[in-house]
Amino acid sequence: QVQLVESGGGLVQAGGSLRLSCAASGRTIINPAMAWFRRAPGKEREFVAAISWSGGSPIYADSVKGRFAISKDNPKNTVYLQMNSLKPEDTAVYYCAAKSWVMTSNVNDYFYWGQGTQVTVSS
C-alpha cells in the first residue's frame, strides 16, 4: 500500500509563512507526480500545486503563484509546500496526493491521498 502523511499545518497570521511536508511510504509509485490540494469549509477540494519526480517545471494554481513553492527530496520520498505571504483565504485543510506519470491539476486524476493538515490564517 501507499501511505502519504502530511505535517506542518497550524495557525499563522496573515502575511506569515508555513512549510508543509508530505512523506510517502509503502509501495513504489511508478514515475510519480505529487500534488497539493486544499479544501476550505463548505467548498470543493481545489488544486494548489504539483511536481513530477522525473523533472519538468512545477505547476501552480493562479491563486498561489508567486507565494507558494512546491519542492521534493527524492531520497527522503518527501514533497514540500512552502507557503509565504499567507492570506485568510488560504485557510483550508491541505492534502497531499500522488499519481503515476503526468502532472495534472484535476483532483479526480490522483489515486493516493493523505489525511490532510489544517492551515488557518488569521486576519
Side-chain angles (χ1 to χ4, degrees):
Q1 302 298 319
V2 174
Q3 293 84 41
L4 303 175
V5 180
E6 304 96 333
S7 62
L11 175 64
V12 65
Q13 292 183 328
S17 299
L18 285 173
R19 181 180 172 91
L20 306 183
S21 298
C22 173
S25 62
R27 288 173 51 191
T28 299
I29 302 172
I30 304 301
N31 292 338
M34 299 187 71
W36 290 95
F37 292 80
R38 65 187 183 186
R39 179 185 286 171
K43 297 183 178 180
E44 297 294 321
R45 195 172 298 193
E46 67 175 359
F47 173 75
V48 176
I51 192 167
S52 172
W53 234 242
S54 60
S57 298
I59 58 175
Y60 297 94
D62 288 342
S63 60
V64 305
K65 283 182 178 178
R67 299 190 298 121
F68 291 10
I70 189 170
S71 61
K72 59 184 176 66
D73 186 333
N74 291 40
K76 294 183 178 179
N77 293 318
T78 300
V79 65
Y80 305 95
L81 185 68
Q82 179 66 46
M83 304 185 294
N84 299 321
S85 300
L86 283 162
K87 304 174 181 179
E89 51 263 44
D90 295 319
T91 295
V93 177
Y94 283 71
Y95 298 90
C96 178
K99 66 186 295 294
S100 292
W101 304 106
V102 181
M103 292 185 294
T104 76
S105 60
N106 189 340
V107 65
N108 296 311
D109 291 342
Y110 287 81
F111 303 139
Y112 309 106
W113 293 87
Q115 296 300 306
T117 184
Q118 176 71 48
V119 172
T120 302
V121 184
S122 62
S123 300

